Amino acid sequence: MTQVLQQLTGIRPQSSGWLHSLNEAGAAVVRNAVWPTRKTEQWKYTSLRALEQMDYLGARGQIPDDLTGMAKLCSVDNLDTYKIVFVNGSYCAALSSVESLEANVDLVTFADADTQQIVRIRESLGSVVESDQHLFAAVNNQLLDDGVFLRVGKNVQLKKPVQVVWLTSGSEIPFHIPQRFLMVLEANASASAVEHFISDGESQACFTHGVTEIRLADGARCNHYRLHLEAPGALHVGGVYAALDANSRFDSFHLALGGALKRIDVVVNHNGPGADCVLNGVYLPRENQQVDYHTCIEHRVPHCTTQETFRGIVADSAKAVFNGRIHIHPDAQKTLARLSNKNLLLSDKAEVDTKPELEIYADDVQCAHGATVAKLDANALHYFRTRGVSQREAEVMLSFGFINELIDKLAQPALVHYLRPVLTQWFARDPSLVRHLLDAQEQV
Amino acid sequence: MLSIRNLHASVDDKAILNGLSLEVRPGEVHAIMGPNGSGKSTTGHVLSGRPGYEATAGSVEFLGRDLLEMDTEERAREGLFLAFQYPVEIPGVSNMEFLKAALDAQREHRGESPLDAVSFMKKARDICKAVNLDQSFLKRGVNEGFSGGEKKRNEIMQMMLLEPKLAILDETDSGLDIDALQVVAQGVNALRNPERAFIVITHYQRLLDYIVPDYVHVLAGGRIIKSGDKSLALELEEKGYGWLEDEAV
């Protein structure tokens, strides 16, 4: 059971440079950690068995010699981005393009950071995530040797979105990927960032442990997208940790296709009054896959808002876990927080474990939460059929409509365009059943 | 075109239709009126094949085929259309996607190729205009956030696009203001021709000022207790249903 931890204890710090102390700190947490089991509250419904079955930690991935086809995988039509690509966990300059960056903006890998940038990274790295509370963040600290740093200076509006791609390709030898992204927006700065996880082919033997930290200073605005489109065999345990200062706005969208192990934690800290968070997510496990989202919103100060909506479609004998916690501290008066989680089960064997948790210690707040688990609406299906649409096509269109409400709202139309075919094909194995969903897009 | 003979139907094991018979020929407009609970809407639902509405006896023949043996979508593809009293909201699926899926399914059934995107859009915009809905309704979710009147006009828009052989309008007039009522009536009248028939289910005589029926039937207790021409509707408006129900006993 604890063989992963034992193995970690034997791994020396990866970095001899300035990341060394972070590696040591991570190792110290891991040394004293207890391996989560199904009796661990935070891991009650998600099994780590897939991770225990292979020796992922023994090796790092290599960038393949042949990059044919990978550039296409990393691009989103009509979305011009500053792009940083990691292949199997290593920075790939050939696929990356960061040109004509605005003044007073840093966008570099940790390995390429200059002295001043290193100072800035060290100021913020590890300042948002509580790695003693999140074992896999500590693992990431221990094994980290590179990452991506984005800093947008005071009052700067970044014109193009930043796209960080983590591409994995098939390998004979299992390997692990330390994924790290640090984003710092200074006062009144604004930026969009897309974290894009994708695989080259079905056959995968990798494990990503990821940490993304986002710091928004007063009045900063961030549109953030985290797209988990990896193949089912690419394991992922990761988290997004955000700290919001006064009057900042964090709009974060999450998407996960299912896999053998996919667990994402999203933690948002309202640290300054007037901060605003919109957190939306979609998960789509099928076959015997699983997806687990654990979200936690900490309202520490007054006058902050949270709107959180997660929707999932669970097919076949797949399983989804959603745990959404909103914690309102005693000082967080005038908080407005809403959490909704709706699930659609497409089969009798599909399972969802949903748990919205509101913990309120202030008395003048407006909060609501709700969770539903249902099948497709029989009236809506009938309505389609009375117009001549077949039962099967109606099911696909209705299912898609269920998540499309969140997809359609994305601030980047190019991402809507990009995701639509990916998503429709994900749960409609017969392409003829999605033609009307794709047709209509061409007319937009 | 449609022959309903001695139809009995129940919902949740409760008998609603008790020997309904009705003969509809091409080109005719039949109005079905009747008090609440008489089985008007149930008639529409049974004919559309709604789950839970079970025909327990009798027969329905549509264009020479046994309607009750056909799946809901097949009935639609053969030319049966039901305008819902309470149209369903389908957030996340745009009206345009919905209309295209419906039209393509019906064209495919008739051995026709799907309309290309440009022709479809032109057609969709034209009928949208005909029912006095803004073009933006094509991009919105099906009936999502539509007012009562907008939903009814959306039903008429679907009917105009699909050009059914037999259209059943289930209380399409209820909740409509006078302008919307005229839009609905114009939609129906524009489609009236010698090959197409309509069954108009309504509570009120008012709609029949605009859609002039060939026959008026009074449904009570799950069967037709009186039939006549359009003057029957005026008589009902004046006297109510009580005298007929007494007469029928």
Side-chain angles (χ1 to χ4, degrees):
Chain A
M1 284 292 241
T2 58
Q3 92 195 43
V4 180
L5 284 180
Q6 270 169 18
Q7 192 183 0
L8 278 163
T9 310
I11 296 176
R12 305 313 317 149
Q14 304 289 296
S15 166
S16 55
W18 55 275
L19 282 169
H20 187 85
S21 56
L22 187 73
N23 293 160
E24 296 258 299
V29 174
V30 170
R31 245 192 322 273
N32 296 315
V34 177
W35 187 246
T37 66
R38 301 298 280 274
K39 289 180 183 153
T40 313
E41 184 59 28
Q42 291 289 304
W43 290 89
K44 198 169 172 181
Y45 300 105
T46 294
S47 160
L48 286 165
R49 191 152 20 108
L51 180 57
E52 293 158 357
Q53 277 170 343
M54 272 204 272
D55 174 21
Y56 291 100
L57 296 173
R60 286 293 307 271
Q62 302 295 321
I63 297 188
D65 296 332
D66 183 5
L67 296 177
T68 313
M70 291 196 176
K72 176 115 188 72
L73 279 175
C74 300
S75 72
V76 173
D77 284 352
N78 300 313
L79 189 67
D80 186 17
T81 59
Y82 299 119
K83 191 187 297 181
I84 293 196
V85 178
F86 281 69
V87 179
N88 294 338
S90 298
Y91 174 62
C92 179
L95 294 173
S96 303
S97 58
V98 178
E99 280 153 21
S100 46
L101 204 59
E102 286 104 318
N104 200 12
V105 174
D106 295 314
L107 179 56
V108 284
T109 60
F110 293 178
D112 291 336
D114 64 26
T115 318
Q116 195 188 17
Q117 287 167 333
I118 290 172
V119 171
R120 287 172 173 155
I121 295 171
R122 297 187 72 171
E123 258 172 33
S124 296
L125 192 66
S127 69
V128 186
V129 60
E130 293 177 289
S131 50
D132 51 340
Q133 307 289 317
H134 296 272
L135 172 61
F136 287 89
V139 171
N140 184 267
N141 282 348
Q142 183 188 346
L143 301 179
L144 193 64
D145 58 3
D146 201 358
V148 179
F149 176 52
L150 168 67
R151 181 193 65 91
V152 182
K154 197 173 169 182
N155 296 326
V156 176
Q157 324 292 310
L158 201 61
K159 285 187 206 77
K160 295 199 283 186
V162 170
Q163 183 189 6
V164 186
V165 182
W166 298 85
L167 176 73
T168 61
S169 68
S171 160
E172 307 262 306
I173 305 161
F175 61 93
H176 75 97
I177 296 170
Q179 175 264 327
R180 192 90 180 207
F181 181 34
L182 172 63
M183 173 157 48
V184 177
L185 304 192
E186 296 180 355
N188 300 314
S190 76
S192 276
V194 184
E195 298 191 81
H196 192 177
F197 298 86
I198 195 154
S199 305
D200 171 18
E202 284 299 303
S203 155
Q204 300 283 320
C206 59
F207 163 54
T208 301
H209 44 92
V211 173
T212 289
E213 291 180 276
I214 297 170
R215 278 180 62 171
L216 305 183
D218 291 2
R221 302 173 77 83
C222 172
N223 274 327
H224 168 248
Y225 308 84
R226 189 173 170 111
L227 312 176
H228 284 279
L229 306 174
E230 310 105 319
L235 314 187
H236 194 117
V237 179
V240 173
Y241 304 87
L244 278 53
D245 285 347
N247 300 313
S248 62
R249 181 183 162 96
F250 182 49
D251 193 328
S252 184
F253 174 77
H254 297 257
L255 170 72
L257 306 180
L261 171 62
K262 212 169 264 193
R263 159 68 179 257
I264 320 294
D265 286 57
V266 183
V267 178
V268 178
N269 295 281
H270 284 287
N271 293 341
D276 183 15
C277 169
V278 177
L279 180 61
N280 289 335
V282 168
Y283 44 87
L284 300 162
R286 68 178 195 195
E287 292 163 2
N288 55 359
Q289 302 158 2
Q290 53 178 358
V291 172
D292 179 346
Y293 272 105
H294 266 62
T295 70
C296 178
I297 317 286
E298 300 283 357
H299 279 266
R300 302 182 194 280
V301 293
H303 295 286
C304 294
T305 62
T306 297
Q307 299 275 357
E308 179 176 355
T309 309
F310 271 74
R311 288 196 175 185
I313 301 179
V314 189
D316 307 324
S317 48
K319 178 168 158 171
V321 180
F322 177 81
N323 193 110
R325 179 165 184 257
I326 295 182
H327 181 189
I328 301 183
H329 295 246
D331 287 341
Q333 301 295 1
K334 305 285 181 190
T335 291
L336 179 72
R338 290 186 202 290
L339 164 65
S340 155
N341 173 233
K342 290 186 181 173
N343 297 279
L344 197 56
L345 297 186
L346 297 186
S347 121
D348 290 341
K349 288 185 187 150
E351 176 181 329
V352 60
D353 299 285
T354 174
K355 187 170 155 202
E357 292 178 79
L358 272 183
E359 226 175 295
I360 304 176
Y361 298 101
D363 53 15
D364 185 12
V365 299
Q366 276 190 57
C367 296
H369 71 299
T372 62
V373 178
K375 295 187 169 188
L376 287 171
D377 178 40
N379 284 338
L381 274 176
H382 176 65
Y383 191 56
F384 265 99
R385 295 176 70 200
T386 61
R387 301 312 184 234
V389 179
S390 72
Q391 168 98 12
R392 286 175 62 220
E393 185 171 3
E395 285 170 359
V396 167
M397 290 183 79
L398 269 179
S399 306
F400 182 72
F402 179 72
I403 53 166
N404 190 40
E405 286 185 80
L406 296 178
I407 307 287
D408 254 356
K409 280 188 205 154
L410 297 185
Q412 291 284 353
L415 283 179
V416 178
H417 211 94
Y418 171 72
L419 289 176
R420 214 170 156 107
V422 175
L423 297 181
T424 50
Q425 275 151 37
W426 181 252
F427 51 84
R429 284 150 232 195
D430 177 353
S432 72
L433 298 178
V434 297
R435 65 198 159 129
H436 292 107
L437 298 171
L438 297 175
D439 262 10
Q441 187 184 18
E442 281 155 24
Q443 292 149 27
V444 172
Chain B
M1 173 176 276
L2 181 76
S3 302
I4 305 175
R5 293 194 193 97
N6 190 31
L7 183 64
H8 292 250
S10 51
V11 184
D12 295 334
D13 290 330
K14 191 178 168 213
I16 306 285
L17 297 185
N18 299 297
L20 175 75
S21 294
L22 180 67
E23 191 73 31
V24 179
R25 285 170 292 269
E28 294 177 349
V29 175
H30 291 248
I32 296 183
M33 305 183 73
N36 290 326
S38 59
K40 299 191 299 296
S41 287
T42 298
T43 306
H45 291 321
V46 171
L47 294 177
S48 79
R50 189 183 181 108
Y53 287 74
E54 197 194 347
T56 49
S59 68
V60 182
E61 202 176 272
F62 178 55
L63 297 168
R65 294 183 58 191
D66 182 351
L67 186 80
L68 301 176
E69 282 297 302
M70 292 154 75
D71 284 338
T72 295
E73 52 265 50
E74 200 185 352
R75 299 179 194 195
R77 291 169 188 176
E78 286 290 323
L80 182 80
F81 180 89
L82 172 68
F84 280 48
Q85 183 180 3
Y86 303 109
V88 184
E89 294 199 17
I90 306 176
V93 176
S94 78
N95 229 349
M96 202 156 61
E97 290 159 2
F98 183 75
L99 292 170
K100 183 85 163 69
L103 185 63
D104 283 355
Q106 302 209 5
R107 289 177 65 96
E108 192 179 0
H109 182 72
R110 297 193 294 260
E112 296 164 12
S113 57
L115 272 191
D116 64 87
V118 176
S119 315
F120 172 76
M121 274 313 292
K122 186 180 179 319
K123 204 173 166 108
R125 288 202 184 101
D126 287 348
I127 52 165
C128 206
K129 202 172 166 187
V131 295
N132 209 9
L133 281 177
D134 188 84
Q135 306 284 321
S136 63
F137 280 81
L138 291 171
K139 288 192 177 173
R140 285 172 60 176
V142 178
N143 292 319
E144 187 188 0
F146 290 19
S147 71
E150 286 161 353
K151 283 180 182 170
K152 296 299 177 74
R153 278 184 274 165
N154 201 26
E155 294 292 287
I156 298 303
M157 178 160 88
Q158 293 170 32
M159 180 184 77
M160 294 176 80
L161 179 78
L162 298 174
E163 299 177 319
K165 297 188 176 100
L166 172 65
I168 303 163
L169 277 62
D170 186 7
E171 298 198 23
T172 302
D173 55 334
S174 61
L176 290 190
D177 61 34
I178 199 78
D179 292 335
L181 193 68
Q182 291 196 23
V183 168
V184 167
Q186 280 161 11
V188 172
N189 289 332
L191 284 186
R192 278 183 85 158
N193 72 28
E195 277 80 50
R196 185 172 289 130
F198 294 85
I199 298 174
V200 180
I201 297 169
T202 181
H203 263 296
Y204 307 105
Q205 188 275 332
R206 190 179 59 166
L207 177 68
L208 306 179
D209 285 342
Y210 300 101
I211 304 172
V212 181
D214 300 299
Y215 301 94
V216 174
H217 310 280
V218 179
L219 197 62
R223 59 194 181 86
I224 288 171
I225 55 167
K226 191 170 181 71
S227 297
D229 62 13
K230 62 181 177 185
S231 64
L232 177 58
L234 292 167
E235 203 175 348
L236 290 168
E237 182 83 352
E238 196 182 314
K239 301 206 238 168
Y241 294 113
W243 62 282
L244 278 176
E245 286 176 77
D246 295 342
E247 204 172 75
V249 168

PDB file of all heavy atoms in Angstrom, chain A residues 299-312:
ATOM      1  N   HIS A 299     -14.140  31.525   2.020  1.00  0.00           N
ATOM      2  CA  HIS A 299     -14.526  32.938   2.142  1.00  0.00           C
ATOM      3  C   HIS A 299     -13.991  33.447   3.483  1.00  0.00           C
ATOM      4  O   HIS A 299     -14.577  33.166   4.524  1.00  0.00           O
ATOM      5  CB  HIS A 299     -16.051  33.085   2.092  1.00  0.00           C
ATOM      6  CG  HIS A 299     -16.611  33.054   0.695  1.00  0.00           C
ATOM      7  ND1 HIS A 299     -16.836  34.195  -0.028  1.00  0.00           N
ATOM      8  CD2 HIS A 299     -16.967  32.023  -0.106  1.00  0.00           C
ATOM      9  CE1 HIS A 299     -17.325  33.874  -1.226  1.00  0.00           C
ATOM     10  NE2 HIS A 299     -17.410  32.553  -1.298  1.00  0.00           N
ATOM     11  N   ARG A 300     -12.896  34.181   3.421  1.00  0.00           N
ATOM     12  CA  ARG A 300     -12.266  34.627   4.672  1.00  0.00           C
ATOM     13  C   ARG A 300     -12.649  36.066   5.017  1.00  0.00           C
ATOM     14  O   ARG A 300     -12.450  36.511   6.132  1.00  0.00           O
ATOM     15  CB  ARG A 300     -10.741  34.575   4.546  1.00  0.00           C
ATOM     16  CG  ARG A 300     -10.214  33.199   4.217  1.00  0.00           C
ATOM     17  CD  ARG A 300      -8.684  33.208   4.156  1.00  0.00           C
ATOM     18  NE  ARG A 300      -8.199  31.984   3.524  1.00  0.00           N
ATOM     19  CZ  ARG A 300      -8.089  30.829   4.154  1.00  0.00           C
ATOM     20  NH1 ARG A 300      -8.421  30.729   5.438  1.00  0.00           N
ATOM     21  NH2 ARG A 300      -7.666  29.755   3.513  1.00  0.00           N
ATOM     22  N   VAL A 301     -13.116  36.824   4.023  1.00  0.00           N
ATOM     23  CA  VAL A 301     -13.352  38.263   4.208  1.00  0.00           C
ATOM     24  C   VAL A 301     -14.743  38.630   3.671  1.00  0.00           C
ATOM     25  O   VAL A 301     -15.340  37.862   2.905  1.00  0.00           O
ATOM     26  CB  VAL A 301     -12.276  39.083   3.474  1.00  0.00           C
ATOM     27  CG1 VAL A 301     -10.906  38.885   4.114  1.00  0.00           C
ATOM     28  CG2 VAL A 301     -12.228  38.711   2.003  1.00  0.00           C
ATOM     29  N   PRO A 302     -15.256  39.807   4.041  1.00  0.00           N
ATOM     30  CA  PRO A 302     -16.629  40.174   3.628  1.00  0.00           C
ATOM     31  C   PRO A 302     -16.747  40.523   2.143  1.00  0.00           C
ATOM     32  O   PRO A 302     -15.745  40.788   1.479  1.00  0.00           O
ATOM     33  CB  PRO A 302     -16.925  41.429   4.460  1.00  0.00           C
ATOM     34  CG  PRO A 302     -15.800  41.612   5.408  1.00  0.00           C
ATOM     35  CD  PRO A 302     -14.649  40.805   4.920  1.00  0.00           C
ATOM     36  N   HIS A 303     -17.993  40.559   1.689  1.00  0.00           N
ATOM     37  CA  HIS A 303     -18.351  41.096   0.368  1.00  0.00           C
ATOM     38  C   HIS A 303     -17.755  40.355  -0.814  1.00  0.00           C
ATOM     39  O   HIS A 303     -17.457  40.960  -1.837  1.00  0.00           O
ATOM     40  CB  HIS A 303     -17.967  42.588   0.270  1.00  0.00           C
ATOM     41  CG  HIS A 303     -18.740  43.468   1.198  1.00  0.00           C
ATOM     42  ND1 HIS A 303     -20.061  43.791   0.988  1.00  0.00           N
ATOM     43  CD2 HIS A 303     -18.387  44.074   2.350  1.00  0.00           C
ATOM     44  CE1 HIS A 303     -20.488  44.558   1.968  1.00  0.00           C
ATOM     45  NE2 HIS A 303     -19.488  44.737   2.812  1.00  0.00           N
ATOM     46  N   CYS A 304     -17.571  39.060  -0.701  1.00  0.00           N
ATOM     47  CA  CYS A 304     -17.071  38.297  -1.849  1.00  0.00           C
ATOM     48  C   CYS A 304     -18.198  37.426  -2.407  1.00  0.00           C
ATOM     49  O   CYS A 304     -19.160  37.113  -1.721  1.00  0.00           O
ATOM     50  CB  CYS A 304     -15.903  37.408  -1.440  1.00  0.00           C
ATOM     51  SG  CYS A 304     -14.467  38.354  -0.949  1.00  0.00           S
ATOM     52  N   THR A 305     -18.051  37.061  -3.675  1.00  0.00           N
ATOM     53  CA  THR A 305     -19.082  36.222  -4.284  1.00  0.00           C
ATOM     54  C   THR A 305     -18.467  34.979  -4.930  1.00  0.00           C
ATOM     55  O   THR A 305     -17.348  35.019  -5.432  1.00  0.00           O
ATOM     56  CB  THR A 305     -19.865  36.969  -5.377  1.00  0.00           C
ATOM     57  OG1 THR A 305     -18.959  37.324  -6.415  1.00  0.00           O
ATOM     58  CG2 THR A 305     -20.521  38.211  -4.856  1.00  0.00           C
ATOM     59  N   THR A 306     -19.223  33.920  -4.928  1.00  0.00           N
ATOM     60  CA  THR A 306     -18.839  32.687  -5.604  1.00  0.00           C
ATOM     61  C   THR A 306     -20.045  32.124  -6.335  1.00  0.00           C
ATOM     62  O   THR A 306     -21.124  32.005  -5.751  1.00  0.00           O
ATOM     63  CB  THR A 306     -18.351  31.622  -4.595  1.00  0.00           C
ATOM     64  OG1 THR A 306     -17.185  32.106  -3.942  1.00  0.00           O
ATOM     65  CG2 THR A 306     -18.035  30.312  -5.296  1.00  0.00           C
ATOM     66  N   GLN A 307     -19.868  31.839  -7.607  1.00  0.00           N
ATOM     67  CA  GLN A 307     -20.905  31.134  -8.374  1.00  0.00           C
ATOM     68  C   GLN A 307     -20.248  29.878  -8.905  1.00  0.00           C
ATOM     69  O   GLN A 307     -19.373  29.962  -9.761  1.00  0.00           O
ATOM     70  CB  GLN A 307     -21.362  31.971  -9.573  1.00  0.00           C
ATOM     71  CG  GLN A 307     -21.974  33.298  -9.236  1.00  0.00           C
ATOM     72  CD  GLN A 307     -23.453  33.178  -8.935  1.00  0.00           C
ATOM     73  OE1 GLN A 307     -24.034  32.098  -9.041  1.00  0.00           O
ATOM     74  NE2 GLN A 307     -24.072  34.273  -8.530  1.00  0.00           N
ATOM     75  N   GLU A 308     -20.654  28.743  -8.424  1.00  0.00           N
ATOM     76  CA  GLU A 308     -19.993  27.509  -8.826  1.00  0.00           C
ATOM     77  C   GLU A 308     -21.004  26.545  -9.433  1.00  0.00           C
ATOM     78  O   GLU A 308     -22.024  26.239  -8.825  1.00  0.00           O
ATOM     79  CB  GLU A 308     -19.314  26.865  -7.608  1.00  0.00           C
ATOM     80  CG  GLU A 308     -18.622  25.558  -7.945  1.00  0.00           C
ATOM     81  CD  GLU A 308     -17.863  24.964  -6.756  1.00  0.00           C
ATOM     82  OE1 GLU A 308     -17.794  25.615  -5.692  1.00  0.00           O
ATOM     83  OE2 GLU A 308     -17.361  23.838  -6.896  1.00  0.00           O
ATOM     84  N   THR A 309     -20.734  26.081 -10.639  1.00  0.00           N
ATOM     85  CA  THR A 309     -21.623  25.136 -11.314  1.00  0.00           C
ATOM     86  C   THR A 309     -20.806  24.018 -11.936  1.00  0.00           C
ATOM     87  O   THR A 309     -19.970  24.266 -12.807  1.00  0.00           O
ATOM     88  CB  THR A 309     -22.409  25.841 -12.440  1.00  0.00           C
ATOM     89  OG1 THR A 309     -23.026  27.007 -11.911  1.00  0.00           O
ATOM     90  CG2 THR A 309     -23.486  24.925 -13.001  1.00  0.00           C
ATOM     91  N   PHE A 310     -21.039  22.817 -11.506  1.00  0.00           N
ATOM     92  CA  PHE A 310     -20.391  21.658 -12.122  1.00  0.00           C
ATOM     93  C   PHE A 310     -21.472  20.732 -12.661  1.00  0.00           C
ATOM     94  O   PHE A 310     -22.492  20.507 -11.995  1.00  0.00           O
ATOM     95  CB  PHE A 310     -19.516  20.901 -11.118  1.00  0.00           C
ATOM     96  CG  PHE A 310     -18.100  21.407 -11.063  1.00  0.00           C
ATOM     97  CD1 PHE A 310     -17.802  22.613 -10.453  1.00  0.00           C
ATOM     98  CD2 PHE A 310     -17.062  20.676 -11.636  1.00  0.00           C
ATOM     99  CE1 PHE A 310     -16.503  23.092 -10.411  1.00  0.00           C
ATOM    100  CE2 PHE A 310     -15.751  21.151 -11.597  1.00  0.00           C
ATOM    101  CZ  PHE A 310     -15.465  22.352 -10.990  1.00  0.00           C
ATOM    102  N   ARG A 311     -21.222  20.211 -13.866  1.00  0.00           N
ATOM    103  CA  ARG A 311     -22.166  19.262 -14.436  1.00  0.00           C
ATOM    104  C   ARG A 311     -21.416  18.049 -14.959  1.00  0.00           C
ATOM    105  O   ARG A 311     -20.328  18.199 -15.544  1.00  0.00           O
ATOM    106  CB  ARG A 311     -22.944  19.889 -15.580  1.00  0.00           C
ATOM    107  CG  ARG A 311     -23.945  20.897 -15.058  1.00  0.00           C
ATOM    108  CD  ARG A 311     -24.962  21.230 -16.100  1.00  0.00           C
ATOM    109  NE  ARG A 311     -25.949  22.096 -15.502  1.00  0.00           N
ATOM    110  CZ  ARG A 311     -27.040  22.512 -16.113  1.00  0.00           C
ATOM    111  NH1 ARG A 311     -27.273  22.128 -17.350  1.00  0.00           N
ATOM    112  NH2 ARG A 311     -27.892  23.278 -15.511  1.00  0.00           N
ATOM    113  N   GLY A 312     -22.010  16.895 -14.794  1.00  0.00           N
ATOM    114  CA  GLY A 312     -21.337  15.699 -15.270  1.00  0.00           C
ATOM    115  C   GLY A 312     -22.287  14.768 -15.984  1.00  0.00           C
ATOM    116  O   GLY A 312     -23.480  14.705 -15.668  1.00  0.00           O
TER     117      GLY A 312
END
